[in-house]
PDB file of all heavy atoms in Angstrom:
ATOM      1  N   LEU A  33     -74.801 -42.168   5.944  1.00  0.00           N
ATOM      2  CA  LEU A  33     -74.638 -40.751   5.626  1.00  0.00           C
ATOM      3  C   LEU A  33     -75.300 -39.858   6.676  1.00  0.00           C
ATOM      4  O   LEU A  33     -74.750 -38.854   7.102  1.00  0.00           O
ATOM      5  CB  LEU A  33     -75.221 -40.461   4.241  1.00  0.00           C
ATOM      6  CG  LEU A  33     -74.446 -41.047   3.051  1.00  0.00           C
ATOM      7  CD1 LEU A  33     -75.264 -40.920   1.789  1.00  0.00           C
ATOM      8  CD2 LEU A  33     -73.121 -40.331   2.895  1.00  0.00           C
ATOM      9  N   THR A  34     -76.519 -40.252   7.089  1.00  0.00           N
ATOM     10  CA  THR A  34     -77.225 -39.410   8.060  1.00  0.00           C
ATOM     11  C   THR A  34     -76.531 -39.435   9.416  1.00  0.00           C
ATOM     12  O   THR A  34     -76.433 -38.408  10.084  1.00  0.00           O
ATOM     13  CB  THR A  34     -78.679 -39.891   8.207  1.00  0.00           C
ATOM     14  OG1 THR A  34     -78.684 -41.290   8.524  1.00  0.00           O
ATOM     15  CG2 THR A  34     -79.445 -39.673   6.914  1.00  0.00           C
ATOM     16  N   ASP A  35     -76.041 -40.620   9.826  1.00  0.00           N
ATOM     17  CA  ASP A  35     -75.321 -40.687  11.099  1.00  0.00           C
ATOM     18  C   ASP A  35     -74.021 -39.893  11.027  1.00  0.00           C
ATOM     19  O   ASP A  35     -73.613 -39.254  12.004  1.00  0.00           O
ATOM     20  CB  ASP A  35     -75.012 -42.143  11.456  1.00  0.00           C
ATOM     21  CG  ASP A  35     -76.250 -42.912  11.863  1.00  0.00           C
ATOM     22  OD1 ASP A  35     -77.283 -42.257  12.098  1.00  0.00           O
ATOM     23  OD2 ASP A  35     -76.185 -44.148  11.940  1.00  0.00           O
ATOM     24  N   PHE A  36     -73.346 -39.925   9.875  1.00  0.00           N
ATOM     25  CA  PHE A  36     -72.101 -39.183   9.740  1.00  0.00           C
ATOM     26  C   PHE A  36     -72.353 -37.685   9.881  1.00  0.00           C
ATOM     27  O   PHE A  36     -71.532 -36.961  10.467  1.00  0.00           O
ATOM     28  CB  PHE A  36     -71.456 -39.486   8.388  1.00  0.00           C
ATOM     29  CG  PHE A  36     -70.117 -38.818   8.207  1.00  0.00           C
ATOM     30  CD1 PHE A  36     -68.990 -39.309   8.847  1.00  0.00           C
ATOM     31  CD2 PHE A  36     -69.993 -37.704   7.399  1.00  0.00           C
ATOM     32  CE1 PHE A  36     -67.765 -38.685   8.694  1.00  0.00           C
ATOM     33  CE2 PHE A  36     -68.776 -37.081   7.239  1.00  0.00           C
ATOM     34  CZ  PHE A  36     -67.656 -37.573   7.885  1.00  0.00           C
ATOM     35  N   ALA A  37     -73.491 -37.205   9.354  1.00  0.00           N
ATOM     36  CA  ALA A  37     -73.810 -35.786   9.493  1.00  0.00           C
ATOM     37  C   ALA A  37     -73.934 -35.404  10.963  1.00  0.00           C
ATOM     38  O   ALA A  37     -73.449 -34.348  11.389  1.00  0.00           O
ATOM     39  CB  ALA A  37     -75.110 -35.471   8.740  1.00  0.00           C
ATOM     40  N   ARG A  38     -74.561 -36.258  11.760  1.00  0.00           N
ATOM     41  CA  ARG A  38     -74.707 -35.981  13.188  1.00  0.00           C
ATOM     42  C   ARG A  38     -73.361 -36.027  13.897  1.00  0.00           C
ATOM     43  O   ARG A  38     -73.070 -35.214  14.780  1.00  0.00           O
ATOM     44  CB  ARG A  38     -75.666 -36.982  13.817  1.00  0.00           C
ATOM     45  CG  ARG A  38     -77.099 -36.873  13.314  1.00  0.00           C
ATOM     46  CD  ARG A  38     -77.951 -38.040  13.757  1.00  0.00           C
ATOM     47  NE  ARG A  38     -77.976 -38.169  15.206  1.00  0.00           N
ATOM     48  CZ  ARG A  38     -78.505 -39.200  15.838  1.00  0.00           C
ATOM     49  NH1 ARG A  38     -79.023 -40.193  15.128  1.00  0.00           N
ATOM     50  NH2 ARG A  38     -78.506 -39.258  17.153  1.00  0.00           N
ATOM     51  N   ILE A  39     -72.506 -36.999  13.509  1.00  0.00           N
ATOM     52  CA  ILE A  39     -71.206 -37.128  14.160  1.00  0.00           C
ATOM     53  C   ILE A  39     -70.334 -35.914  13.858  1.00  0.00           C
ATOM     54  O   ILE A  39     -69.713 -35.338  14.750  1.00  0.00           O
ATOM     55  CB  ILE A  39     -70.517 -38.433  13.699  1.00  0.00           C
ATOM     56  CG1 ILE A  39     -71.282 -39.649  14.238  1.00  0.00           C
ATOM     57  CG2 ILE A  39     -69.069 -38.478  14.165  1.00  0.00           C
ATOM     58  CD1 ILE A  39     -70.785 -40.974  13.693  1.00  0.00           C
ATOM     59  N   VAL A  40     -70.273 -35.515  12.588  1.00  0.00           N
ATOM     60  CA  VAL A  40     -69.451 -34.364  12.214  1.00  0.00           C
ATOM     61  C   VAL A  40     -69.984 -33.095  12.868  1.00  0.00           C
ATOM     62  O   VAL A  40     -69.212 -32.204  13.250  1.00  0.00           O
ATOM     63  CB  VAL A  40     -69.405 -34.222  10.679  1.00  0.00           C
ATOM     64  CG1 VAL A  40     -68.732 -32.919  10.272  1.00  0.00           C
ATOM     65  CG2 VAL A  40     -68.657 -35.396  10.080  1.00  0.00           C
ATOM     66  N   ASP A  41     -71.301 -32.998  13.024  1.00  0.00           N
ATOM     67  CA  ASP A  41     -71.885 -31.847  13.709  1.00  0.00           C
ATOM     68  C   ASP A  41     -71.372 -31.777  15.145  1.00  0.00           C
ATOM     69  O   ASP A  41     -71.030 -30.708  15.647  1.00  0.00           O
ATOM     70  CB  ASP A  41     -73.412 -31.956  13.690  1.00  0.00           C
ATOM     71  CG  ASP A  41     -74.088 -30.696  14.204  1.00  0.00           C
ATOM     72  OD1 ASP A  41     -73.540 -29.610  13.989  1.00  0.00           O
ATOM     73  OD2 ASP A  41     -75.166 -30.812  14.814  1.00  0.00           O
ATOM     74  N   THR A  42     -71.295 -32.930  15.819  1.00  0.00           N
ATOM     75  CA  THR A  42     -70.747 -32.980  17.178  1.00  0.00           C
ATOM     76  C   THR A  42     -69.282 -32.574  17.181  1.00  0.00           C
ATOM     77  O   THR A  42     -68.825 -31.824  18.051  1.00  0.00           O
ATOM     78  CB  THR A  42     -70.895 -34.397  17.766  1.00  0.00           C
ATOM     79  OG1 THR A  42     -72.282 -34.753  17.778  1.00  0.00           O
ATOM     80  CG2 THR A  42     -70.352 -34.463  19.187  1.00  0.00           C
TER      81      THR A  42
END
Side-chain angles (χ1 to χ4, degrees):
L33 290 169
T34 54
D35 289 347
F36 183 76
R38 294 169 58 189
I39 292 173
V40 172
D41 188 33
T42 301

